[in-house]
Amino acid sequence: MPLADQIKLTQHNVYILPTGPGLMLVATLVTLLIASINYQLSLGYVLTFSLAGSALVGMFMAHNTLRGLVMDLGSPTAQFAGSPVAMDIRLHNPDKSVRYALILAIKQSQKSKNTLVKTELCTDVPAQGSCSLQLTFTTQQRGLQRLPSVTIETRYPLGSVKVWAYWRPAAQVMIYPRPEANPPPLPLSTDMVSAENRHAEQAQNSADWGAIRSYRRGDPLKQVIWKKAAKADQSGDALVVRIAQPNAQKELYLDINQTGTLSTEARISRLCAWVLEAQAQGLSYGLRLPGLDISPAAGLTQQRRCLEALALC
Amino acid sequence: MLSLATPKVFRVINALPRNSRDTLFLLLVIAWLVIPQAAHLPLWCTLLALAVLIWRGILAWTARPLPSRWWLLALMAVTLGSTLISYNTLLGRDAGVTLLVVLLTLKTLELRARRDAFVVSFLGFFCLLSNSFYSQTIFSAITMLIGLLGLLTALVNAHMPVGRPPLLAAARSAGFMTLMGMPIMVLLFLLFPRMSPLWGLPNDAMTGRSGLSASMMVGNIASLALDESIAMRIHFENGRIPPRQNLYFRGPVMTHFDGRRWQASHLEFESRFSETSNLKVFGAPINYEVTLEPNNQPWLLLMDAAIEPPQLSGIKARMQSDLQWQLNRPITDLVRYKAQSYARFQHGPTTFTPGLRPALNLPPGFNPRTLALAKQIRSDPRFRAAGNAELVDLVMDKLRTGGYSYSLEPGVYGTNSADEFWFDRKLGFCEHIASAFVLLMRALDVPARIVTGYQGGEQNSVDDYWVVRQSDAHAWAEVWLEGNGWARVDPTSAVAPGRTGAFQRLIAPRGVVAQTLSNLSPDLQRQLRAGWDALNNGWNQWVLNYTQSKQLDILKNLGFKSPSWEDLGYLLMAIVLLVSALAAGWAQRYRGAQDSWLHLLRKAQQRLRKAGIYDSRNQRASPRQLAETLKSQRDIKEASIKAIYDWLIKLESQRYASASSTTTKLQKKREIRQLNQQFKQLQWPTKKSQSDRKPN
């Protein structure tokens, strides 16, 4: 099946099969026919054949519900492994009739539990209009990932047939490594630390600390605002620390060799957490990976560059 | 229900949660299916069904939980018990319908899963069918169609899970399905081979149809006199309707009388004393075609007297010795047959035979005064030597002049019905008169018997069919005359000449509406009734009596020489295949438009490949890529090459240029056609010859 970010459903990619109730309906029709023959009921024939005709037309209606529908996909935003990725799917209905009861689903096999996880949503698409919905999935794999294939299905109007189509979106989504939950503090070099100390002393006087946030493990104790600590203790809030302004001239090279003796994945996970941390602290940081060196910089662009490098390494 | 539907009720319904609304709608549909069946269901069943529906409705209205399974089981047990008590069986048609109705309503008490919705609607379809066991009128057909629409609407609505779609949307879809399904229905109805029952017709297939029966309690026919339903319709050839006094349609002939009840002769007895009917006919035959309503009896009603068996499709009729035409099974369906009758005929033995004995039997101990009257007549010297014919005349005279009158409601007769008629009441309906007459004749030693059937009828002014109603049911007498055989005597005509002679019928008491109508304009009423009857007759001829012979007639008209039912199957198949082919073609039409473009591109690729310009491995080259390849390999200044180049670019833009939204499919088609014509005019280059190649 070709990959595409837009798909128009035609009779070539829409499948149709009877459902259980559909077979039950056929059995009902056969029974009604036999009764009509045996009791010679002309009106029974009328009923049986009306029902058969309606069921047949219903089959076409079910097929029409999908045929001619156009689906496309908003490009998915990058996400960390293990967090839900949102697929924004838009459905366009060029026809003058409402399309009812479309069920969109994505199936994912979960290796850990060896099960299929199915996410599905049901929607109507207005006549000559469109609607959008969001299906989410999670993945543990980092890197550039294919989106799972989408199944669109309907049983409208009688539930006697199931009409469905598959869609394999061509778009790929960047999955960053999962950041380590409780990473050790940033590997700040000694000169950086002393610089930071000096800076902190200055800061207490000149108060060029831009913002505050709640305390995280690894925050230097100097940055804790102790005046508020007492209150925080009473009210049960976390300690509050100052965050340096991004303009602070601090440089930090995050190197895969500083991460200790872990497995490669764990190292990458730790680096990922550090990148986030450094970004949060407004530091300027660089990244060294085998065969890759990203020179230090600050800002969101830098963060994205680093995270993508980590995702793909 | 709808009459109560004030806007406020609508508001309330709109305020209901969707589940409750859907359930209430389904309950209404089921009520629509059950109520018409009340006429033939036992009372407890109707009440139970309605009670369950109302209970379920209250639960839905107040959004309370459904009862437990135990309730269902208990109610089901009650139903089974009651059905057993009502019918002494759980099998058979009526018991089955009763169980079906209760099952359908009980199922609504466990509408939990979607599967239950399916089960309810499928049971509903059976319920729709079961009503046609009892009634197949136009009215019940309309009722059935509405019920079908209701069930389909409920089913469609169950498949619209999003939000709270209006029921009208589901109804529209259901209506669309039914409407578009109609041609399919008509086609199948016309061409699906009508066959005889796959296994023996259950003997309960027909009950509760009124009409003549094999026995006559005095008073039976009087109850029919109020029945305006149609017994049969007759189409006389060339519209020549015989005089009214000849319109005697022969039903069961009754010889045995036990004092209360007249009965047809027993068949075993018949076979032992099998008399020949000895029928002789004179004069010109009358040809006609009868459409007989089902009467659940084996006899075919024919005008007196038919010597040839009536032409029925597939069943043989036998004539009994008393001129009765019979089938070997009850008529449970409309039948139509062609027949030939002779108004002048003779039948029966001309000399006295033992076979006539039963026609002289009198039950002992009944009607002493009638016997005394007969003795008195016999002892009268004037009639001592009288022949049978004279005695008949005498008694007929007595009826004409003795102050006897004809009445629809003579009251209830006692055990000695003949005595009461002759001496006390002096009024009666045809059966009282005929019965009293025959008993008196027998007392006079004249073999006599009762014939029941229909007499008269009226012409429908709309379609000229001659209509015989149940109210035309009649009883008359036959007496045996030496040298002549059996002769018809209608004692009623002596009492009330209007009954059989003129076009006057006894008017039974009517409903208020009919009364008002007839007061306003008797003519209009007659017109309305004639129109209604004609409509009903059309319904009967085309829907209810649509038999295999009629199917084969259609095939004959289509040009089949000697059609069989296999031909029906073939024709049906052929039409199905044709329709499928058309549908497939229709489905391909869009693709065709796409493909014609691709087709052009492939042709161009092929030509260029032949010219050695285009590398065939690149299957997916666009026209523009082809054009560029051409440009790079050939001198574009050459006119023919330029033309090809331009054409390829045009082909490209036809497909990929951002088409303005105003270009219709039609325009696109036209463009493709133009491109196709231009393609034919292009001069494609040939393969570069060796001389063209630059020497290396």
Side-chain angles (χ1 to χ4, degrees):
Chain A
M1 204 168 25
L3 301 165
D5 275 346
Q6 190 189 46
I7 184 172
K8 185 179 165 84
L9 300 179
T10 62
Q11 62 270 16
H12 302 291
N13 51 18
V14 173
Y15 306 99
I16 183 166
L17 269 183
T19 58
L23 296 176
M24 235 164 90
L25 180 64
V26 171
T28 305
L29 281 169
V30 170
T31 316
L32 289 175
L33 185 63
I34 289 172
S36 305
I37 291 170
N38 255 19
Y39 285 90
Q40 305 277 299
L41 298 172
S42 275
L43 212 53
Y45 282 120
V46 171
L47 173 70
T48 311
F49 296 149
S50 296
L51 186 56
S54 305
L56 212 63
V57 175
M59 215 167 81
F60 277 97
M61 274 173 85
H63 202 252
N64 276 346
T65 304
L66 285 196
R67 205 181 50 230
L69 185 79
V70 177
M71 298 195 280
D72 61 22
L73 189 67
S75 56
T77 48
Q79 196 48 275
F80 294 96
S83 311
V85 186
M87 290 170 72
D88 286 312
I89 296 171
R90 284 189 299 273
L91 306 171
H92 307 279
N93 175 13
D95 298 339
K96 290 189 177 120
S97 53
V98 187
R99 292 167 188 263
Y100 290 104
L102 301 167
I103 302 162
L104 280 97
I106 43 182
K107 280 200 192 106
Q108 275 190 289
S109 53
Q110 283 208 320
K111 282 175 190 158
S112 54
K113 294 174 195 161
N114 218 347
T115 51
L116 272 179
V117 178
K118 195 173 173 183
T119 343
E120 60 175 39
L121 280 172
C122 188
T123 180
D124 296 346
V125 192
Q128 291 183 316
S130 57
C131 77
S132 51
L133 43 83
Q134 215 177 49
L135 285 170
T136 55
F137 68 98
T138 53
T139 176
Q140 307 299 337
Q141 285 282 314
R142 64 186 170 85
L144 206 52
Q145 294 290 325
R146 284 231 172 281
L147 295 174
S149 65
V150 180
T151 316
I152 181 164
E153 179 193 316
T154 186
R155 296 185 177 210
Y156 179 84
L158 294 180
S160 55
V161 287
K162 168 182 157 180
V163 180
W164 77 101
Y166 293 117
W167 174 30
R168 291 179 61 205
Q172 291 179 311
V173 61
M174 180 61 75
I175 303 294
Y176 302 144
R178 180 200 285 265
E180 196 177 348
N182 293 312
L186 287 173
L188 297 168
S189 52
T190 46
D191 59 332
M192 278 193 70
V193 174
S194 58
E196 203 163 311
N197 287 351
R198 272 205 312 280
H199 202 92
E201 281 166 23
Q202 284 174 7
Q204 290 203 339
N205 308 329
S206 64
D208 67 342
W209 295 88
I212 56 173
R213 62 163 170 75
S214 56
Y215 173 82
R216 291 186 198 157
R217 272 191 57 189
D219 281 337
L221 292 181
K222 294 249 171 190
Q223 288 179 18
V224 175
I225 306 174
W226 293 109
K227 286 176 186 169
K228 293 195 176 183
K231 273 187 209 164
D233 204 33
Q234 281 170 5
S235 60
D237 291 336
L239 293 174
V240 184
V241 292
R242 291 191 183 85
I243 314 170
Q245 290 286 71
N247 62 12
Q249 293 302 309
K250 296 191 180 63
E251 280 207 354
L252 167 65
Y253 246 111
L254 299 170
D255 193 327
I256 194 138
N257 297 323
Q258 300 167 326
T259 50
T261 53
L262 297 162
S263 67
T264 316
E265 279 310 311
R267 287 176 170 197
I268 288 170
S269 175
R270 180 161 295 176
L271 278 177
C272 179
W274 278 347
V275 167
L276 295 178
E277 179 63 25
Q279 176 66 30
Q281 292 190 18
L283 302 174
S284 163
Y285 54 93
L287 182 65
R288 269 199 205 95
L289 294 170
L292 182 82
D293 193 324
I294 297 176
S295 51
L300 284 172
T301 322
Q302 173 72 355
Q303 171 178 299
R304 204 179 57 236
R305 273 183 71 199
C306 295
L307 288 177
E308 281 181 7
L310 285 170
L312 297 171
C313 79
Chain B
M1 193 74 201
L2 278 179
S3 58
L4 299 175
T6 53
K8 188 184 169 193
V9 166
F10 275 131
R11 266 205 304 280
V12 173
I13 287 174
N14 279 335
L16 281 176
R18 181 177 167 183
N19 259 344
S20 305
R21 183 201 67 176
D22 293 356
T23 308
L24 284 174
F25 174 73
L26 186 62
L27 294 175
L28 266 182
V29 173
I30 291 170
W32 178 268
L33 303 185
V34 171
I35 288 166
Q37 311 230 34
H40 51 253
L41 291 174
L43 187 64
W44 63 262
C45 172
T46 313
L47 293 179
L48 176 67
L50 291 178
V52 169
L53 288 177
I54 289 165
W55 181 23
R56 181 69 183 87
I58 291 169
L59 290 182
W61 189 267
T62 55
R64 268 185 291 189
L66 295 180
S68 71
R69 282 273 156 86
W70 294 111
W71 265 106
L72 290 180
L73 288 172
L75 284 171
M76 204 63 225
V78 168
T79 305
L80 289 173
S82 313
T83 309
L84 264 176
I85 292 166
S86 295
Y87 299 105
N88 299 322
T89 173
L90 291 179
L91 303 171
R93 192 193 64 181
D94 292 353
V97 172
T98 305
L99 287 176
L100 177 69
V101 166
V102 178
L103 199 67
L104 173 63
T105 48
L106 285 184
K107 191 70 203 171
T108 60
L109 286 177
E110 61 159 14
L111 281 174
R112 288 185 171 88
R114 176 172 288 184
R115 196 197 57 216
D116 293 326
F118 278 116
V119 172
V120 165
S121 35
F122 292 166
L123 284 174
F125 294 138
F126 288 123
C127 205
L128 275 176
L129 183 88
S130 67
N131 197 28
S132 58
F133 287 142
Y134 308 96
S135 158
Q136 299 199 57
T137 58
I138 297 184
F139 182 70
S140 50
I142 293 168
T143 313
M144 185 183 84
L145 203 65
I146 293 170
L148 179 67
L149 271 173
L151 284 172
L152 287 176
T153 303
L155 207 50
V156 171
N157 186 44
H159 285 96
M160 295 165 119
V162 182
R164 197 174 185 284
L167 281 173
L168 213 60
R172 211 175 290 127
S173 287
F176 177 80
M177 265 186 278
T178 320
L179 203 66
M180 300 307 277
M182 277 294 154
I184 300 169
M185 185 274 279
V186 171
L187 186 76
L188 284 170
F189 186 85
L190 289 178
L191 295 182
F192 184 84
R194 289 286 189 277
M195 30 191 140
S196 47
L198 302 177
W199 51 85
L201 191 70
N203 50 12
D204 59 2
M206 306 276 307
T207 48
R209 307 262 172 134
S210 65
L212 297 173
S213 64
S215 64
M216 182 180 91
M217 284 280 282
V218 173
N220 264 3
I221 294 185
S223 66
L224 279 180
L226 304 174
D227 184 353
E228 286 288 288
S229 65
I230 289 171
M232 57 201 216
R233 290 184 178 83
I234 301 160
H235 186 257
F236 287 100
E237 203 173 69
N238 308 329
R240 279 201 301 258
I241 296 162
R244 201 180 168 80
Q245 57 268 25
N246 290 347
L247 289 172
Y248 279 85
F249 300 95
R250 196 182 196 81
V253 178
M254 300 176 187
T255 314
H256 298 273
F257 185 60
D258 61 4
R260 312 181 121 266
R261 176 190 293 273
W262 286 93
Q263 279 186 308
S265 36
H266 300 293
L267 291 178
E268 318 88 291
F269 178 86
E270 277 286 333
S271 56
R272 241 181 298 146
F273 285 92
S274 71
E275 287 202 21
T276 51
S277 62
N278 202 11
L279 176 63
K280 298 187 193 68
V281 294
F282 314 97
I286 300 154
N287 290 311
Y288 56 97
E289 188 183 48
V290 178
T291 308
L292 183 68
E293 294 278 338
N295 55 13
N296 207 28
Q297 303 289 358
W299 44 77
L300 293 172
L301 288 145
L302 291 176
M303 222 176 100
D304 276 346
I307 194 160
E308 290 295 322
Q311 299 163 31
L312 270 91
S313 53
I315 339 172
K316 265 200 75 69
R318 291 181 306 120
M319 183 163 70
Q320 311 289 338
S321 60
D322 53 15
L323 300 196
Q324 246 282 267
W325 285 97
Q326 280 205 326
L327 300 178
N328 52 9
R329 65 174 182 83
I331 295 161
T332 55
D333 212 339
L334 266 189
V335 286
R336 187 195 317 206
Y337 45 91
K338 282 192 166 69
Q340 210 176 39
S341 292
Y342 295 81
R344 293 176 53 213
F345 60 96
Q346 269 190 3
H347 71 121
T350 46
T351 54
F352 191 86
T353 60
L356 291 172
R357 284 257 156 73
L360 286 169
N361 276 347
L362 282 169
F366 285 95
N367 302 310
R369 284 185 284 170
T370 307
L371 299 183
L373 172 68
K375 259 205 184 82
Q376 188 194 323
I377 293 173
R378 274 294 186 196
S379 60
D380 192 317
R382 278 178 299 170
F383 304 113
R384 191 157 302 157
N388 291 357
E390 284 167 70
L391 289 169
V392 170
D393 288 344
L394 174 78
V395 176
M396 289 292 273
D397 248 7
K398 182 177 170 63
L399 281 171
R400 258 191 288 275
T401 56
Y404 293 96
S405 59
Y406 177 67
S407 153
L408 245 186
E409 286 158 326
V412 181
Y413 271 72
T415 47
N416 296 323
S417 54
D419 283 6
E420 282 183 49
F421 175 78
W422 287 119
F423 303 101
D424 307 338
R425 303 190 181 214
K426 296 198 171 184
L427 69 107
F429 193 57
C430 60
E431 72 225 70
H432 305 95
I433 303 170
S435 173
F437 175 84
V438 168
L439 290 175
L440 182 55
M441 293 317 290
R442 288 186 179 188
L444 289 167
D445 273 339
V446 181
R449 63 190 185 190
I450 288 203
V451 185
T452 57
Y454 297 94
Q455 203 282 323
E458 61 178 346
Q459 188 168 21
N460 184 320
S461 57
V462 177
D463 58 4
D464 290 342
Y465 269 73
W466 185 261
V467 179
V468 177
R469 295 169 188 280
Q470 293 295 358
S471 53
D472 294 316
H474 192 49
W476 60 93
E478 276 184 344
V479 293
W480 182 80
L481 306 175
E482 184 85 39
N484 195 9
W486 289 105
R488 181 198 303 143
V489 178
D490 191 345
T492 307
S493 66
V495 176
R499 171 64 182 85
T500 52
F503 276 75
Q504 175 209 328
R505 16 174 61 242
L506 259 188
I507 304 297
R510 292 217 198 91
V512 182
V513 178
Q515 198 62 53
T516 323
L517 253 179
S518 65
N519 290 348
L520 281 174
S521 157
D523 235 24
L524 173 70
Q525 196 210 358
R526 214 166 305 128
Q527 282 294 322
L528 279 178
R529 196 166 95 166
W532 174 242
D533 282 350
L535 183 68
N536 258 321
N537 185 27
W539 173 256
N540 284 353
Q541 301 294 341
W542 278 101
V543 179
L544 298 194
N545 194 33
Y546 187 73
T547 54
Q548 198 174 65
S549 56
K550 200 145 188 175
Q551 282 186 313
L552 299 181
D553 283 350
I554 287 183
L555 285 196
K556 271 188 193 133
N557 292 340
L558 287 175
F560 283 80
K561 285 259 180 323
S562 53
S564 65
W565 74 266
E566 287 93 343
D567 290 339
L568 280 172
Y570 294 144
L571 187 61
L572 195 57
M573 289 280 197
I575 290 176
V576 167
L577 284 175
L578 184 72
V579 170
S580 314
L582 284 175
W586 174 81
Q588 291 290 340
R589 78 196 192 295
Y590 177 69
R591 191 175 164 227
Q594 296 277 56
D595 273 0
S596 56
W597 186 89
L598 272 178
H599 186 67
L600 271 178
L601 178 61
R602 295 269 176 275
K603 280 205 292 192
Q605 283 175 348
Q606 217 173 6
R607 294 291 172 94
L608 291 173
R609 197 165 51 235
K610 275 185 185 164
I613 292 167
Y614 164 64
D615 178 9
S616 60
R617 273 172 306 179
N618 185 5
Q619 267 290 325
R620 303 185 69 118
S622 68
R624 183 173 294 280
Q625 285 168 331
L626 288 181
E628 295 308 323
T629 325
L630 185 74
K631 201 172 167 181
S632 64
Q633 294 195 7
R634 289 278 177 156
D635 182 9
I636 192 80
K637 291 190 178 68
E638 222 177 297
S640 65
I641 302 295
K642 178 83 173 75
I644 295 174
Y645 180 84
D646 290 347
W647 183 86
L648 285 169
I649 297 298
K650 240 187 273 175
L651 187 66
E652 172 92 8
S653 64
Q654 199 277 334
R655 184 68 165 259
Y656 295 114
S658 54
S660 58
S661 55
T662 52
T663 47
T664 57
K665 276 184 184 170
L666 208 68
Q667 277 171 309
K668 289 227 177 255
K669 265 191 181 158
R670 204 176 301 130
E671 284 170 3
I672 290 276
R673 216 175 308 134
Q674 275 176 356
L675 283 166
N676 208 357
Q677 280 163 357
Q678 287 164 359
F679 177 86
K680 286 170 187 163
Q681 291 158 0
L682 291 176
Q683 293 179 331
W684 293 89
T686 50
K687 204 166 182 112
K688 285 184 188 176
S689 54
Q690 294 292 343
S691 61
D692 275 1
R693 290 228 177 134
K694 287 170 186 162
N696 291 333

